Amino acid sequence: MNRQQALGGVELDNSYARLPGQFHQRTGPAPVAAPRLIRLNHDLARSLGIEPETLERPAGVEWLAGNRPAVGSEPLAMAYAGHQFGNWVPQLGDGRALLLGEVFDRDGVRRDLQLKGSGPTRFSRGGDGRASIGPVVREYIASEAMAALGIPTTRALAALATGEKVLRRDGPEPGGILCRVARSHVRVGTFEYFGRNGDPDSVRTLADYVIDRHHPDLAGQAGRYAALFERVVGATAALVARWMPVGFIHGVMNTDNTSIVGETIDYGPFGFIDAFDPATVYSSIDRGGRYAWNQQPKVAHWNLARLGECLLPLLDESAEAALERANAILETFPRAFETRFHAQLCAKIGIDTPREGDVDLAFDLLGHMHEGRADLTLTFRRLSALPGDDDRADGPLRELFDQPSAVDGWLARWRRRLQGETRGDFDRQAAMQRVNPAFVLRNHLAQWAADAAVEHLDFAPMHRLVDVLARPFDDQPEHADLARPPEPEERVLETFCGT
Ligand code: AMP
Ligand code: MG
């Protein structure tokens, strides 16, 4: 082993490179002119067994920029396809990303290291294979903020400026690279690449790979492919049920952006709702509202049906029996989603022992918020501070609604309901504050950080947001300006595919 090149003392493996040639293109990153480390995620590096200090040295930065290979790295671009806005695209693939290899984290879990913005590949389809610093900054902040909220997500190990320019919609912008960490970069679209392109043998190879890596307890079991499908359905339902309570809208839930392990992946035109409206859409390309906040469970279910189609030949020799099996598994999705989503809504209004009517109570609050254009995050956060038997402190919550008196009836009902709970105010408030964040990555904040990076190579807003959003459930009064909703002139109503 060439010790100088080992990444923080860690050698990479690459199990995906051992799959047959149709799964990937083996190719290296294109070097960049003057890489500079913008931010390194020290905690994440340590959790991967990597010494953060070694990544901060010139050799480490060169490594993160793709200018220098790490020991064991067999970089490759993964092949995948997908349904984009419902339309079948037979080939997508990593057009601006490379899987460098895998490391084992502290828990012994194999985690992918990927460079995003590392140069063109066979899958670039005319794109430059690069990333602007703006989307790199947005993804870094967003994925770390989601992780701090306890929501399954890919992670950001490092953000770099390349010292080169990329040409984008509004002209030249500074280039960036994100080093992303994921339990897997296999997507529903990876299965579709083979399943819909007439290569069922490769679907089996891929399913076996996913089972061996992520569900080793199923390896060799009869019925393992159905069990795999069940787990993907369950993990995806659980994921979407975590997005919705914090007002997260993925924005581009194409099948190629749907992870096989139920992690949030590909932060492009995502957004967090400010004033609550269930039909909220931010993505500039989502004209029909296909990926609106309240459409996400339906779309996730649709994406899983596409996965089910690919798995059919593995489920049963009889086509009819296979279809029946796949449908039976798919049908578990709505309930799996709802059970989790509803449990979280109850927790958000401080109910410890849910009973009939509680879910309606929570939905009624959402209804009032919609009508009164109340801020989603602040409503739940301020509700968390209220006593169960005294309405004198209701002011800060009431003032979030266009018509403050419109929520009074609901608050009275809520207080009557709380009388049926055994938990005292103090415990209830503490529990509510653990599920109702004070801080989320509001769109205007993400935009602020991206703009500062693109326009002035100023990363102070990014650093501040990453630090504050690492503790989303703490009030941090010194950062109150990051908790407030946007002023009308600050509102960002449109988000863009990050590239
Ligand atoms: P995404 O928006 O991340 O879901 O990407 C959709 C597809 O476009 C993927 O196949 C990407 O690899 C590809 N893509 C996005 N941006 C670029 C780029 N700058 N150069 C090459 N391919 C890209
Ligand atoms: Mg994508």
Side-chain angles (χ1 to χ4, degrees):
M1 175 172 114
N2 178 345
R3 286 170 61 219
Q4 281 184 318
Q5 291 188 329
L7 149 74
V10 171
E11 257 186 82
L12 300 180
D13 187 28
N14 198 337
S15 60
Y16 210 76
R18 295 193 280 276
L19 291 174
Q22 68 271 25
F23 282 80
H24 43 66
Q25 180 205 11
R26 301 279 284 268
T27 181
V32 297
R36 174 159 85 84
L37 191 58
I38 297 166
R39 188 166 178 115
L40 179 69
N41 191 334
H42 285 237
D43 289 345
L44 182 62
R46 276 189 214 99
S47 81
L48 300 173
I50 300 170
E51 277 302 322
E53 292 72 22
T54 57
L55 294 182
E56 289 173 323
R57 292 191 197 117
V61 175
E62 294 276 313
W63 181 86
L64 288 168
N67 285 9
R68 165 197 283 254
V71 173
S73 176
E74 296 175 80
L76 59 88
M78 291 169 73
Y80 55 84
H83 278 86
Q84 298 188 313
F85 290 90
N87 304 308
W88 169 237
V89 185
Q91 182 173 302
L92 289 160
D94 287 335
R96 53 158 163 178
L98 288 174
L99 178 65
L100 292 180
E102 303 138 11
V103 293
F104 290 91
D105 69 16
R106 254 191 227 129
D107 302 323
V109 177
R110 193 184 274 274
R111 310 269 294 265
D112 283 356
L113 293 189
Q114 192 205 55
L115 295 185
K116 200 167 169 182
S118 49
T121 73
R122 173 154 88 73
F123 306 112
S124 297
R125 298 176 301 150
D128 60 3
R130 294 299 189 187
S132 158
I133 200 81
V136 166
V137 162
R138 270 170 60 86
E139 175 157 350
Y140 190 115
I141 307 169
S143 58
E144 289 310 298
M146 292 287 271
L149 289 168
I151 300 175
T153 177
T154 61
R155 302 291 304 271
L157 179 62
L160 290 94
T162 61
E164 296 176 357
K165 295 274 185 204
V166 294
L167 200 56
R168 292 295 178 264
R169 222 166 37 113
D170 299 328
E173 296 180 4
I177 291 178
L178 183 78
C179 182
R180 178 158 86 175
V181 178
R183 285 207 297 128
S184 175
H185 280 91
V186 174
R187 306 134 190 276
V188 167
T190 322
F191 280 88
E192 289 181 292
Y193 181 71
F194 300 111
R196 288 186 89 88
N197 288 329
D199 183 358
D201 290 344
S202 294
V203 173
R204 184 182 297 269
T205 304
L206 182 61
D208 285 332
Y209 174 83
V210 171
I211 287 171
D212 286 346
R213 177 165 171 181
H214 302 289
H215 307 283
D217 59 308
L218 299 180
Q221 303 277 329
R224 61 188 174 280
Y225 301 116
L228 169 65
F229 189 38
E230 278 169 2
R231 290 191 187 178
V232 181
V233 169
T236 309
L239 178 66
V240 179
R242 295 300 310 273
W243 287 351
M244 309 256 307
V246 294
F248 179 76
I249 307 169
H250 183 285
V252 60
M253 282 178 73
N254 296 330
T255 54
D256 52 296
N257 293 334
T258 304
S259 156
I260 211 70
V261 294
E263 287 182 339
T264 315
I265 190 169
D266 279 6
Y267 292 85
F270 72 89
F272 282 85
I273 293 182
D274 296 307
F276 182 66
D277 178 346
T280 304
V281 176
Y282 293 118
S283 170
S284 63
I285 54 171
D286 191 359
R287 297 292 172 206
R290 180 180 172 90
Y291 300 144
W293 179 80
N294 60 0
Q295 294 302 303
Q296 297 184 111
K298 210 171 97 187
V299 161
H301 194 194
W302 190 91
N303 290 351
L304 291 165
R306 304 290 78 75
L307 174 63
E309 286 165 359
C310 298
L311 295 176
L312 284 176
L314 307 185
L315 297 183
D316 203 292
E317 276 168 25
S318 139
E320 206 180 317
L323 192 60
E324 212 169 288
R325 187 84 187 91
N327 277 329
I329 295 169
L330 268 178
E331 276 166 22
T332 64
F333 180 91
R335 215 186 140 68
F337 164 75
E338 256 174 39
T339 308
R340 290 178 168 89
F341 180 48
H342 292 174
Q344 292 195 50
L345 286 179
C346 290
K348 283 177 87 69
I349 60 169
I351 287 166
D352 195 29
T353 46
R355 49 161 104 137
E356 184 139 0
D358 289 343
V359 172
D360 291 337
L361 184 65
F363 271 108
D364 287 347
L365 177 60
L366 290 175
H368 287 302
M369 288 163 58
H370 182 199
E371 230 164 83
R373 292 187 291 178
D375 184 80
L376 177 75
T377 305
L378 287 187
T379 300
F380 283 113
R381 186 68 184 181
R382 292 186 184 174
L383 186 69
S384 309
L386 295 184
D389 56 2
D390 184 351
D391 62 10
R392 279 173 302 177
D394 289 355
L397 175 75
R398 295 175 82 244
E399 74 187 23
L400 296 171
F401 293 76
D402 282 350
Q403 287 277 346
S405 60
V407 74
D408 289 344
W410 187 88
L411 284 168
R413 266 172 76 203
W414 176 65
R415 289 198 162 98
R416 278 198 299 279
R417 171 62 186 88
L418 287 183
Q419 282 163 15
E421 289 277 294
T422 49
R423 206 162 48 170
D425 264 2
F426 183 83
D427 289 344
R428 173 184 53 77
Q429 289 164 343
M432 287 174 76
Q433 283 163 3
R434 284 194 299 271
V435 294
N436 292 321
F439 299 92
V440 295
L441 181 56
R442 296 175 182 276
N443 296 343
H444 70 292
L445 299 175
Q447 180 93 47
W448 167 57
D451 286 349
V454 169
E455 289 162 22
H456 313 291
L457 287 173
D458 171 10
F459 302 107
M462 173 200 187
H463 292 311
R464 191 167 162 229
L465 283 170
V466 174
D467 292 339
V468 171
L469 292 167
R471 298 190 291 128
F473 300 109
D474 294 349
D475 276 321
Q476 308 181 62
E478 66 281 24
H479 298 295
D481 58 316
L482 302 183
R484 67 164 175 79
E487 299 293 342
E489 70 278 8
E490 292 176 318
R491 266 185 217 141
V492 173
L493 299 176
E494 216 176 32
T495 53
F496 296 91
C497 274
T499 190

